[in-house]
Structure formats: structure tokens, C-alpha cells
Amino acid sequence: EIPYGADYPAEALGPLRDVVQAVQQATQAPLAIAAQSALSVASLAVQAHADVETLAGFAPVSLYCLTIAQSGERKSGCDKLIMAGLREIERCRATDYREDMAAWLTDHKLWTAKRDRLLKEAAGSNAQKARDAEADLAAFPTEPKQPLSPKLTTSEPTLEGLVKLYLTGRPSLGLFSDEGGGFLGGHAMNSDNRLKTVAGLSGLWGGDSLDRVRAGDGATTLYGRRLATHLMVQPVAARPLLADPIASGQGFLARFLITEPPSAIGTRLAQTGANVADVAIIAASSRLSEVLCQPMPTSEASEQELEPRALTLSPEAKELLFKYYAATEVAQAKGGDLEHVKSFASKSPEQAARIAGVLTLWADLGATVVSVEVMKDAIMLAQFYLMEAKRLSEAALVSEEIDRAESLRRWLLNSWPRIAETQDRDSLTIVPRDVVVLGPNSLRETATVKKLMTFLEGHGWLVELEPGTVIDGQSRQVAYKIVGAS
């Protein structure tokens, strides 16, 4: 069992505290799930408007959140309440978008027809008409601009799909999914695309340009884009990611605020009225609509290229953040508490600055300075997420191996056909090939099976027999006696 972590520090959520506690009361979901939804949605709302000062320059206030919880924890319920204002904006804009697109299609067809006619005349044999057409082309209006997609969020894109959405839509987007396993286990994160996806999303987190090179379309570089993310995944989907060397080696996971709260299933017995959370949730939806309807700061050259202003730290806030950095730095030394989670620890001070930026801008979108009081709250939240990352990362590799070994152990004792056929179970033996041919579908590789059988031997469930032991009339180099079969 993975040990439980600390309680979520709701008191540090500042202007988001009321809505988080109201949603938790209404859904009776773990508090951390509501908090993750609120932080990520607030980040999506404000990320276009400012970059926050860190100890190493300015960084986006974009947050990547990863919530690990089993089915039935009411993840969707939390998201639905917190994102109500966002969904209403998307619905309203979708109606306008359909009308604008219909008008644009007509205008574009007319523009194309007129341009093609002038081009034909300019290339014709009539000299006068050609000169007139060339003059008209020189003064010809620019191509009608296609209306931007109204989508604020997407759930399961490939990196190419995300680039396409940036090309046709807003420069500030959210990757939100209450079934994040579909993204983590989908095309974007398969063995062929994982490295590319990890690199692309890591770059977006840092505010870097987004590059795409395709044979048919050529090279595309997008500047001034922002992405907020909240993936909700079940433990079975999260374990491989936490143990994935590519995700860890690229520092991809360290960009996420990760939590796996204790399950609330079986304890949700409180009666709640239908409107228990109305006041706080309506207030949060109103604030979300207010922020999202504000014009985004973009460059003069393109309305799809953000130019966020600077959100600086007060001297006191910067000093406090440095003290937090120093503490995490020392703890990464050999033998330190954070030695084995260096990537998370090294990014935690920046995470604190980003959280502080989100809380500051949610309270006042026009703010220019992060106060020391907000920084204290942000550091408390960053510390919580760092300890969660430490707890889950250290358990991930062992947990995945134990899960697979336990699957094999149960099959050996309960499902292996010879179990039911053998009278003398104390002498029951097995060889790796038996598992590969007859065992669970997930165990079809000999090397994997041998490793797991060695693991079970180390835990006392198998006893290795001498090489050359004869089983079923054949000499076996690797064979085991099963312990506990009788």
C-alpha cells in the first residue's frame, strides 16, 4: 500500500478557498480534487495576461495539474461545478462562431473569385487589360481573416492537433480531461510519439515557441502561446507514467502538480441541500466569465501571439521564495530528503511563483506585484505538491512491479489449470514457459516472466529448483516450486 500523504492545505488557497470548500461540500469528493480543478481553471483564465517573476527570470503562470483518483471519486462532478462559467462562455461563442463562419465563407469565395479573375487577366495577351489587372491586384484587399475557433479547452489532442487548434483558435488554451487515461494511453503518448509530445508540452509550460515540421505543410513556429492542463487519471494509468524514464528524464512530470488523495468512497454520508454551494460557485463562475471576457494582450502583428505583461515579486516575497529555494536545494544533496526527486525539487520554487501569480491575478487581474502574504500561501501549496511527488514517485517503480507480480501470484494459486488437476500441491512446480503460454495476456514475454518469478522467489512465494531438475520428462534449467498452493 502506498502511504497516505498530508491533508490538503485549503487555508493556502486564498481567493479560491471558498469555491473549493463549497464544491467539496456539494460533491463530498476529496478536497484535493476540487482544489486541482480550481487551480487549473484559474490558471487557464489568467495565463494570457501576465508572466510572473521567478528567481531565474519571468515564467508563465500556466499550471499543469495531475490528479490520481479511482473511478467514483466524483472527479467529473468537481470539474462540472468549477468549469460551469467556462462552458457557458464556450456555448455562447460557438453560436456566434457559426454565424461568423457562414459570413466568412461567402466573403472568402467572393474574394477568391475576384482575385482569380484578376490573375487570369494579368496573365492574358491583352496588354492594356493586363496592366489594369496588375494595378488592381496591387490595390487588392487582403484575404478575409477566418474567425478564430471559440474553443477554450481540449481533452485528448495529439501535439499536431494542439498546434492546429492554436493555428485556428485562441493563443491561450486548456488541456482538461476527467478521463486523462485516454490521453496518457492514446496516440499522443504511444511509444512512437511520447518523446515528441513530452518535449512539446514541456516547451509550452516554459513559454517557449511551438515548432512543427511536416512534409506537406512545411515548418510552422508559433510564438506567444499558453497552455494550462488538468489531467484526472485512475491509478492504473498513472503508475506507468510515474515510472516512465522518458517522462522523468525530460523533467516532464516535474512540471505537474501531482496529488493522489485518500479515497472518500464509503464515507460520503452527509446530506447536502441542492443549493449548498450556490453562492460560492456562482461567484466563481462570475469571476471566471469576467476574466475570460477581458481582451488578451497580443502583439500588433498578430492577435494570436500573446504579449503578457510582467508580474513582479515584492522584495519580501522574493526573499521568502529564495529561502524556500535554498531549503529545497540543500535537501537534494546526497543523503538529503529530496535526493531521489531532484527534478521535482528543483522546479518547486518556480511552481510556488506560478501558484502565487495565479492567486494574485485571480484576485485582481490588473495586479502588478505579488505580495509576501500570497507567496507564503503559494509556498505552502508548493511544499504539499513536492511531498506528494516524493511519496508517489518513490512508490511508483516498486508499485508497478508489485502489481504485476501480484497478478502472476494470484494466477499461479487460483487460475493455473494444473492447480485444479494436481492432488499433491506441496510438490507443484512451474517453468516460465507455462506462464508465457497459459498465463495472463499481459505476461507474454519470457524475460518479463522470469523477472517476476525471481521477484516472487524473493518474497517467498516460489522456491527455485536446481538446474537440470526433470519436470514432465524434460531437464529444466529454470524451474520453481510453488509455495502456498496447498
Side-chain angles (χ1 to χ4, degrees):
E1 292 289 337
I2 297 176
Y4 288 150
D7 292 337
Y8 195 93
E11 66 276 13
L13 287 167
L16 295 173
R17 178 178 180 178
D18 287 348
V19 67
V20 168
Q21 291 182 329
V23 168
Q24 191 279 328
Q25 185 181 359
T27 62
Q28 298 186 62
L31 182 71
I33 294 179
Q36 291 279 83
S37 291
L39 278 172
S40 54
V41 169
S43 171
L44 167 61
V46 305
Q47 66 183 352
H49 295 274
D51 288 344
V52 69
E53 185 180 8
T54 72
L55 297 176
F58 286 84
V61 294
S62 306
L63 299 179
Y64 284 11
C65 296
L66 178 65
T67 303
I68 305 170
Q70 60 183 291
S71 179
E73 292 289 2
R74 299 177 179 170
K75 304 184 292 290
S76 300
C78 291
D79 251 14
K80 183 177 180 180
L81 290 175
I82 289 175
M83 297 179 72
L86 184 149
R87 297 305 183 205
E88 183 59 32
I89 290 176
E90 283 188 321
R91 281 193 292 271
C92 292
R93 289 181 177 177
T95 301
D96 295 338
Y97 177 72
R98 285 192 292 270
E99 296 174 356
D100 292 343
M101 275 297 292
W104 174 81
L105 286 170
T106 300
D107 291 343
H108 193 266
K109 286 180 179 178
L110 290 172
W111 179 88
T112 301
K114 292 177 181 178
R115 185 199 58 181
D116 290 348
R117 178 178 57 79
L118 290 175
L119 287 171
K120 185 177 181 179
E121 290 178 358
S125 57
N126 187 308
Q128 185 58 48
K129 281 188 175 182
R131 285 192 294 271
D132 292 343
E134 288 174 1
D136 289 341
L137 282 170
F140 199 65
T142 57
E143 184 177 2
K145 194 164 187 179
Q146 182 175 336
L148 297 182
S149 167
K151 286 181 67 67
L152 298 169
T153 63
T154 186
S155 58
E156 296 181 17
T158 59
L159 191 63
E160 288 80 4
L162 194 59
V163 169
K164 185 175 180 180
L165 190 55
Y166 276 127
L167 285 170
T168 60
R170 292 165 51 90
S172 174
L173 296 172
L175 171 55
F176 289 170
S177 177
D178 58 4
E179 294 295 341
F183 171 75
L184 297 178
H187 180 74
M189 291 294 283
N190 66 23
S191 58
D192 294 330
N193 296 318
R194 185 182 303 133
L195 186 60
K196 177 175 60 177
T197 300
V198 164
L201 294 181
S202 296
L204 279 170
W205 185 83
D208 300 336
S209 60
L210 185 59
D211 297 322
R212 180 183 71 167
V213 179
R214 299 182 66 179
D217 301 337
T220 301
T221 301
L222 304 179
Y223 300 95
R225 264 58 173 189
R226 295 292 182 268
L227 181 72
T229 300
H230 186 198
L231 300 177
M232 296 183 176
V233 301
Q234 295 188 31
V236 68
R239 298 286 177 260
L241 180 68
L242 291 168
D244 186 350
I246 291 179
S248 300
Q250 292 282 323
F252 178 59
L253 282 177
R255 291 167 167 80
F256 282 83
L257 304 175
I258 305 175
T259 183
E260 182 176 356
S263 175
I265 295 174
T267 66
R268 301 169 297 193
L269 303 177
Q271 295 186 7
T272 58
N275 63 345
V276 66
D278 277 3
V279 174
I281 291 171
I282 289 173
S285 291
S286 175
R287 177 58 178 159
L288 184 59
S289 298
E290 179 185 356
V291 174
L292 288 173
C293 289
Q294 291 296 315
M296 293 183 293
T298 56
S299 72
E300 293 183 0
S302 172
E303 63 176 326
Q304 290 178 277
E305 186 176 319
L306 292 170
E307 288 189 346
R309 71 175 189 279
L311 177 63
T312 60
L313 307 182
S314 71
E316 297 81 7
K318 194 167 187 177
E319 181 181 359
L320 184 63
L321 183 60
F322 181 81
K323 289 180 179 178
Y324 178 57
Y325 156 75
T328 57
E329 179 67 18
V330 170
Q332 293 176 56
K334 188 173 183 179
D337 288 343
L338 303 177
E339 177 186 2
H340 301 298
V341 284
K342 292 185 178 69
S343 59
F344 288 97
S346 62
K347 286 185 172 56
S348 191
E350 180 174 334
Q351 296 280 27
R354 287 173 179 246
I355 294 169
V358 170
L359 297 179
T360 297
L361 295 170
W362 182 259
D364 177 10
L365 192 61
T368 57
V369 178
V370 174
S371 69
V372 67
E373 289 77 15
V374 173
M375 184 57 73
K376 288 178 182 177
D377 287 340
I379 288 174
M380 186 181 298
L381 291 169
Q383 284 179 314
F384 167 81
Y385 286 113
L386 178 55
M387 291 302 101
E388 281 287 272
K390 180 177 184 292
R391 176 176 70 93
L392 297 172
S393 295
E394 289 178 348
L397 287 172
V398 175
S399 176
E400 184 181 17
E401 190 170 27
I402 285 177
D403 283 344
R404 301 186 74 183
E406 177 65 5
S407 174
L408 174 57
R409 186 187 74 86
R410 289 179 178 175
W411 178 82
L412 288 172
L413 299 182
N414 302 320
S415 303
W416 186 31
R418 190 169 291 187
I419 283 283
E421 302 168 358
T422 304
Q423 298 296 322
D424 183 11
R425 294 191 175 187
D426 289 334
S427 63
L428 196 60
T429 59
I430 190 166
V431 297
R433 178 170 172 74
D434 293 335
V435 180
V436 173
V437 174
L438 302 172
N441 290 332
S442 59
L443 301 178
R444 288 289 183 260
E445 296 181 358
T446 301
T448 299
V449 170
K450 286 182 176 180
K451 181 178 179 181
L452 292 177
M453 294 180 87
T454 301
F455 190 86
L456 288 178
E457 181 196 13
H459 284 73
W461 292 101
L462 294 175
V463 175
E464 187 172 9
L465 301 176
E466 289 291 330
T469 298
V470 176
I471 298 176
D472 295 334
Q474 295 185 42
S475 175
R476 310 286 185 171
Q477 291 303 306
V478 179
Y480 294 89
K481 175 185 175 182
I482 300 175
V483 178
S486 57

